[in-house]
Amino acid sequence: MKTMKMIGTLVVVSLMFMVACDKDTDPADRDLFVGTYEGTITFNGGGETIIDDDGKVTVTKVGSSYSFIFGSGIPDITGVRFEEGDDNVYVSIGDGLTGIRITASSLDIGVTNDEGTWTADCSR
């Protein structure tokens, strides 16, 4: 009985390892970008300018779209979709939301739309 339990555990662990190492898994599907990035963030819009050299941007994902939750009183950017560029760099697509480049370790934002202008030079 003890041997069967041990074999069963080994099979489960082996299957988990094989699934985790699947080369066909798109990095964006594994939520690599979700988390907090830190660095310089700015916003200019509505008659105000906010600059934070020690700012934070938290990236969340619901379905296939991302949200960028800023600290420091900067308005959030929501509903962002991405397409894969070179070397696992993803770039934002869509009206008024272009100008975001993200990897597992860096976030660069240069978005301008009717609401204002956001910039970020962050890493984690």
Side-chain angles (χ1 to χ4, degrees), residues 40-109:
T40 302
I41 58 175
T42 68
F43 175 75
N44 186 2
E48 68 177 325
T49 299
I50 302 169
I51 300 170
D52 188 348
D53 291 328
D54 295 316
K56 293 182 180 182
V57 181
T58 300
V59 180
T60 62
K61 181 181 179 188
V62 175
S64 61
S65 67
Y66 290 83
S67 294
F68 296 83
I69 313 303
F70 289 82
S72 310
I74 294 175
D76 301 334
I77 300 174
T78 60
V80 180
R81 295 188 184 270
F82 286 91
E83 68 182 12
E84 185 174 8
D86 296 331
D87 298 325
N88 283 333
V89 173
Y90 283 72
V91 293
S92 59
I93 56 174
D95 265 353
L97 297 174
T98 58
I100 303 173
R101 294 175 42 90
I102 191 168
T103 70
S105 61
S106 67
L107 170 64
D108 295 302
I109 297 176

